[in-house]
């Protein structure tokens, strides 16, 4: 039976002011061999800074051989922020069944 993931949650307003704390939580959590899952259901406003942190965290996780999942169900604040900032599947963001599971492709490295 797989171990339960480490779960983090975005605040209602995931803004630039929250980015530093999110980075610290992610770095600490991604040092674990467990999957890290970020729940975003409580978020109502997700800033570009938060998306940038999440893109960087996905790259860090991939380089470390870790797994990061971010809930990004259609209509969620994260999905809407990704669309607003043109960060969809065409930009290398990998979303499968409402989970943002990675960043791939040359576009994501720019």
């Amino acid at each position: 039976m797989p171990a339960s993931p480490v779960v983090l949650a975005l605040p209602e307003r995931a803004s630039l002011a929250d980015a530093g704390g999110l980075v610290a939580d992610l770095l600490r959590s991604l040092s674990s061999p467990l999957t890290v899952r970020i729940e975003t259901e409580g978020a109502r406003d997700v800033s570009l800074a938060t998306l940038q942190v999440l893109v960087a965290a996905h790259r860090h996780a991939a380089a470390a051989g870790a797994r990061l999942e971010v809930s990004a169900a259609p209509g969620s604040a994260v999905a809407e922020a990704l669309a607003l900032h043109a960060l969809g599947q065409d930009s290398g963001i990998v979303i499968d069944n409402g989970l943002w599971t990675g960043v791939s492709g040359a576009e994501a490295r720019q």
Side-chain angles (χ1 to χ4, degrees):
M1 178 176 190
S4 297
V6 173
V7 178
L8 303 173
L10 287 185
E12 185 174 353
R13 286 186 39 90
S15 66
L16 178 59
D18 304 303
L22 179 59
V23 168
D25 289 344
L26 282 164
L27 286 173
R28 188 173 34 258
S29 299
L30 288 169
S31 67
S32 160
L34 300 174
T35 295
V36 175
R37 177 171 294 149
I38 301 177
E39 297 295 342
T40 65
E41 288 76 14
R44 300 288 170 252
D45 183 25
V46 177
S47 71
L48 178 58
T50 298
L51 294 179
Q52 290 170 322
V53 167
L54 295 175
V55 167
H58 273 293
R59 290 184 185 148
H60 177 81
R67 180 162 174 86
L68 174 62
E69 302 172 341
V70 179
S71 58
S76 69
V78 167
E80 290 177 3
L82 287 168
L84 175 67
H85 297 291
L87 294 171
Q89 303 279 64
D90 292 341
S91 67
I93 302 296
V94 179
I95 298 177
D96 186 31
N97 292 323
L99 283 179
W100 175 5
T101 58
V103 178
S104 65
E107 303 84 357
R109 290 188 285 279
Q110 294 178 352

